[in-house]
Amino acid sequence: MKAPYTEADNGRRSKNHPVVTATLWNYCSAAVATILQLGYTAYTGRTVSVSAFGAFASAQSIIQLLGYFANAGLGTAVLRAREPSQELLAAALKLGAVSGPLCCVLIQATATMWADLWNAPQATPMLRVLGCQFLILPFAAIATAWLGRLMAQRTVAVIEMASQSTGLLASTVLLTSGWNPVGLAAAPVVSQLCAAALAFPRLLLLLRALRPPGRPHRRVRLWKLARTTGFLAGHSLVQYATNTLPLWTASATLGLTAVGNYSRAVMFTGIPLALLASGLSRVTTPSLSRVLARVQSDGQALIPRIPGRQVDDRVDPSFTRAVTDVLLAASALSFLPFAFLAGIGPKMLRLLLGPGWADAASLVPWLCLASSAAMMYSTALSVDTVRGAFRQMVRAQVVTATAIGGTAIAAAATGSIHLLALAAGAGPLCGHAVQMRTWRTDSLLESRRLWDGYRVHAALALLLYAAGASIAWLADGRLLRAVPVLLCTVCALGVCWRLRSRQPLYRIATARGLLSPQ
């Protein structure tokens, strides 16, 4: 029998309703964006050559590298703001008005040099087109981040769906019209322009309610904001360079064909990774910031070294519980989807891209494992960003870079593209291990509950991998292998569903009033 519904349950539901709504809108947007990206990938896989896409991947990696300077960490800074204000928005826009145009001028002047450096002459016109987005990128990032901080997630989801679909449509039209492969570069430029045009009017309407008439202006010092955003931008820049090191290694040692195969596989697994990780981060970062702000407003002083810790050196229980819940949710959203994708993904990618992409398909299981580790590492970084634990972030990043760099060197020496895919997962896995060790030392986690949840999600992931692989075997006509595995997997998943009240994610939802107990 179900427990009777009480007023306490109603209070918990009301308290968590904005978070639930934000999560649902983020992942509805992610589902639509995934469908659009898969269709776009299938089209470009048949119209753009492997070497041309390798040149585009090299150009995109350089653009994303400079994009961290253009964005200057402003989006992350406003997401973790404890109190949104018009003055802070104005200061962020001033910094963006400087960083964006500077990066645009820089890439226009050095496009040929970058193309020569990576031995990809086709990348020169793509770099020039892609560089135009820097004029818009900071403002689009600031506007959408502020809307997310104000928990206007429905607006953010609609804007992202509209801007991404517009960019993909513009790129498809250009490729069809003969602008091949330069038309690939139009998608991000049009998307950023559309996002800025849609986000700013809505943001200005919401900000009018932030300061009632007569409320004094609060001056925001640009140098303080620049110091915080500079660290966040530098950290993101190093993280991106570290994550892109396998691609650069392939470009320098294995040739454009290997780059095309690797980048196609990375794009296939990167679409769900980016959508799942960014969607979770956009919800958890402002939510954890609210938890810390509420603890401070209740008069519980926090040691600046480790926000979340009380004066008597005990971690505040509400923050500890929130962090553990976030990591458990991240483990479910990373282990389960990517395990299923590792099983069925190679077959899906071959169907999407057509003949000639067998090497790319063989990389998918390895990159799914890497994506799962990267999502856990990224979620933990979001928690450390809210805490302001910058030293811990640097320590984990050093370990991650060392692991990826060492594995990439071994891949270059052996000429193995599969070892490069392994490098993409080795770094985040080592970095997350350092994060967990630091948090355990700081008593920031409910360790036993977290490790129990990890084990349960890992077991479920193995079942989903078997289900995905058996579906792929069915599609290939290997019935004798597929049918017994699929039947056993379905039975096991059915048992797990019957025992769902013991699952970590179900317990979190029940404890926070999102579901009624059985």
Side-chain angles (χ1 to χ4, degrees):
M1 294 181 60
K2 292 185 178 181
Y5 189 79
T6 65
E7 289 298 326
D9 298 324
N10 185 42
R12 285 196 300 270
R13 287 177 183 269
S14 300
K15 181 178 179 180
N16 290 282
H17 178 72
V19 177
V20 178
T21 303
T23 304
L24 290 176
W25 273 105
N26 272 311
Y27 287 118
C28 285
S29 170
V32 174
T34 300
I35 294 172
L36 292 174
Q37 282 282 3
L38 289 176
Y40 180 74
T41 300
Y43 172 74
T44 56
R46 289 165 171 79
T47 57
V48 180
S49 67
V50 179
S51 60
F53 194 84
F56 172 73
S58 298
Q60 184 75 346
S61 68
I62 297 166
I63 288 296
Q64 289 177 348
L65 188 67
L66 289 177
Y68 289 106
F69 289 106
N71 188 17
L74 295 169
T76 305
V78 298
L79 268 180
R80 67 186 290 268
R82 303 290 171 84
E83 184 180 356
S85 66
Q86 293 177 352
E87 293 79 19
L88 186 55
L89 174 64
L93 291 177
K94 289 177 183 177
L95 290 177
V98 175
S99 60
L102 282 177
C103 289
C104 180
V105 171
L106 179 62
I107 198 62
Q108 299 300 330
T110 60
T112 304
M113 182 196 73
W114 286 111
D116 293 340
L117 179 64
W118 299 111
N119 194 26
Q122 298 178 70
T124 302
M126 297 183 192
L127 283 167
R128 297 193 188 280
V129 174
L130 288 168
C132 296
Q133 68 180 297
F134 292 145
L135 298 173
I136 314 157
L137 174 65
F139 307 108
I142 292 168
T144 54
W146 269 108
L147 289 173
R149 179 61 185 87
L150 297 173
M151 299 305 288
Q153 295 293 345
R154 181 176 65 177
T155 303
V156 174
V158 171
I159 288 172
E160 289 186 345
M161 284 189 290
S163 60
Q164 187 168 19
S165 59
T166 303
L168 295 180
L169 178 62
S171 176
T172 303
V173 170
L174 288 174
L175 289 172
T176 307
S177 302
W179 293 84
N180 189 344
V182 181
L184 289 170
V189 179
V190 175
S191 294
Q192 295 294 340
L193 180 61
C194 183
L198 293 175
F200 262 103
R202 179 60 178 164
L203 177 61
L204 294 177
L205 289 176
L206 290 176
L207 285 175
R208 290 179 181 177
L210 286 180
R211 188 177 67 225
R215 176 179 171 181
H217 289 267
R218 294 183 178 180
R219 184 180 178 183
V220 176
R221 297 183 182 275
L222 281 176
W223 68 270
K224 288 186 176 181
L225 179 61
R227 185 175 60 183
T228 301
T229 58
F231 172 82
L232 295 174
H235 182 274
S236 299
L237 175 65
V238 174
Q239 182 181 355
Y240 172 76
T242 301
N243 293 339
T244 316
L245 184 59
L247 177 64
W248 291 342
T249 303
S251 179
T253 62
L254 302 180
L256 286 181
T257 299
V259 174
N261 284 313
Y262 183 82
S263 60
R264 278 297 189 185
V266 168
M267 175 178 286
F268 180 72
T269 57
I271 291 171
L273 172 62
L275 296 175
L276 289 170
S278 62
L280 185 64
S281 177
R282 284 197 299 265
V283 174
T284 57
T285 301
S287 298
L288 289 174
S289 296
R290 287 184 171 188
V291 172
L292 283 182
R294 185 166 61 249
V295 169
Q296 290 176 329
S297 66
D298 290 341
Q300 298 174 347
L302 303 176
I303 295 177
R305 180 176 59 88
I306 305 177
R309 194 180 284 279
Q310 294 180 349
V311 176
D312 60 358
D313 207 38
R314 290 178 304 170
V315 178
D316 180 73
S318 62
F319 190 73
T320 300
R321 186 166 52 252
V323 170
T324 305
D325 289 350
V326 164
L327 290 178
L328 284 173
S331 67
L333 291 172
S334 59
F335 293 2
L336 306 186
F338 286 110
F340 183 76
L341 188 62
I344 201 173
K347 180 65 177 178
M348 289 179 60
L349 191 59
R350 286 195 295 268
L351 290 175
L352 279 172
L353 300 181
W357 295 94
D359 289 341
S362 68
L363 296 173
V364 170
W366 298 97
L367 290 174
C368 285
L369 179 63
S371 297
S372 181
M375 184 167 172
M376 294 302 302
Y377 177 68
S378 173
T379 303
L381 279 180
S382 298
V383 176
D384 278 339
T385 300
V386 172
R387 296 169 61 217
F390 294 156
R391 288 186 179 180
Q392 287 85 339
M393 293 169 66
V394 172
R395 186 183 304 126
Q397 191 173 64
V398 169
V399 173
T400 301
T402 302
I404 291 181
T407 315
I409 291 173
T414 59
S416 171
I417 194 172
H418 293 86
L419 198 54
L420 282 178
L422 181 62
L429 192 61
C430 294
H432 188 55
V434 172
Q435 292 168 330
M436 295 293 293
R437 180 178 178 84
T438 301
W439 290 357
R440 184 176 180 180
T441 303
D442 293 340
S443 302
L444 193 66
L445 295 171
E446 298 175 3
S447 299
R448 183 174 180 178
R449 183 164 72 94
L450 182 66
W451 286 113
D452 288 344
Y454 278 10
R455 284 191 288 268
V456 170
H457 292 155
L460 291 174
L462 290 176
L463 292 177
L464 288 174
Y465 172 77
S470 59
I471 293 173
W473 295 335
L474 280 176
D476 289 335
R478 291 183 281 183
L479 299 181
L480 292 179
R481 177 185 294 186
V483 173
V485 174
L486 186 59
L487 289 176
C488 293
T489 303
V490 170
C491 292
L493 290 175
V495 172
C496 293
W497 172 253
R498 292 292 296 174
L499 299 176
R500 62 187 180 277
S501 60
R502 300 184 182 181
Q503 307 300 324
L505 207 57
Y506 187 92
R507 290 182 175 180
I508 292 173
T510 303
R512 293 192 173 270
L514 308 181
L515 293 173
S516 299
Q518 288 185 335

